[in-house]
Amino acid sequence: MPTSRAPLSTRRVLQAALALADSGGTDSLTMRHLGRELGVEAMSLYRHVANKDAVLDGILDMVVSEIDLPETRSDWKSAMRHRGEAAFRVMSLHPWAPPLLMSRTNTGPSMLRYIDFTLGVLRGAGFSWRLADYAWNTMDSYVYGYTLRRLAFPIAPADYAETAAAHQHLLAGDRYPHMAELTRQVAEGHHPGDPDITFGLDLILDGLERLRDAEPAT
């Protein structure tokens, strides 16, 4: 006897859509393609999702739901650092997600929980509403940008030294002395090259702390 197929549901549609986006990006995510993956006609999908925009909203919220939030009893800097590192790890698994998170209005339950948690941490640490709003937006801008750069950068961190050595001849002479010295530092293993995400997170957090201390919460 043939194996019965699991009944179609919104969750099953979104799970299939997430897998398609992860494997081929959102350009490959059409309703027709999604229907084929699920073994149904595309028109059957509209009983569960309104359109492709609804699918994108749904899978974005699924991605955000994967971001592990720290314990609320953590100190605010540790909590925000954990949040940034967790978001980077999740976005790296779903390379299509950062551009959409930056270009769409995201109001799914996981995103609302994510933002509400963040505001709670910052307000609990004494940030004014203005600074709390600026803080989480600044951190997210950095995390999304850092993630996109890491995903698109053509050189793997393990290859920095070898690549730097291979390009040293371009910097011979005294026309670019600072670039030549930095390249030598990387080529000879004295400097690792690109920092991990915590370098920028800590810079932002230290700056936010100074701003908070200069402006009492309201």
Side-chain angles (χ1 to χ4, degrees), residues 65-177:
S65 74
E66 296 176 18
I67 300 174
D68 173 51
L69 296 177
E71 295 284 340
T72 54
R73 62 176 177 269
S74 302
D75 71 272
W76 76 271
K77 275 190 170 182
S78 296
M80 293 298 288
R81 187 183 299 108
H82 177 111
R83 173 190 183 276
E85 291 172 329
F88 168 64
R89 287 192 297 271
V90 170
M91 300 303 161
S92 297
L93 297 174
H94 307 284
W96 54 270
L100 288 187
L101 284 168
M102 293 186 291
S103 61
R104 299 176 70 86
T105 301
N106 304 295
T107 57
S110 296
M111 177 58 83
L112 295 178
R113 171 178 168 268
Y114 180 64
I115 297 172
D116 191 73
F117 172 87
T118 304
L119 289 171
V121 168
L122 293 168
R123 286 290 292 166
F127 283 81
S128 67
W129 283 111
R130 181 182 71 91
L131 279 182
D133 188 34
Y134 289 174
W136 79 265
N137 277 287
T138 298
M139 289 198 66
D140 280 6
S141 295
Y142 169 67
V143 170
Y144 297 158
Y146 181 91
T147 304
L148 288 172
R149 183 178 183 277
R150 269 297 177 93
L151 290 170
F153 200 62
I155 306 167
D159 298 330
Y160 286 167
E162 181 181 351
T163 304
H167 287 81
Q168 281 184 296
H169 70 281
L170 300 174
L171 304 170
D174 58 3
R175 188 173 184 182
Y176 310 108

Side-chain angles (χ1 to χ4, degrees), residues 178-198:
H178 307 298
M179 276 296 299
E181 178 57 24
L182 178 60
T183 302
R184 185 185 72 79
Q185 292 282 327
V186 175
E188 296 179 3
H190 305 306
H191 169 49
D194 204 29
D196 65 24
I197 194 169
T198 58

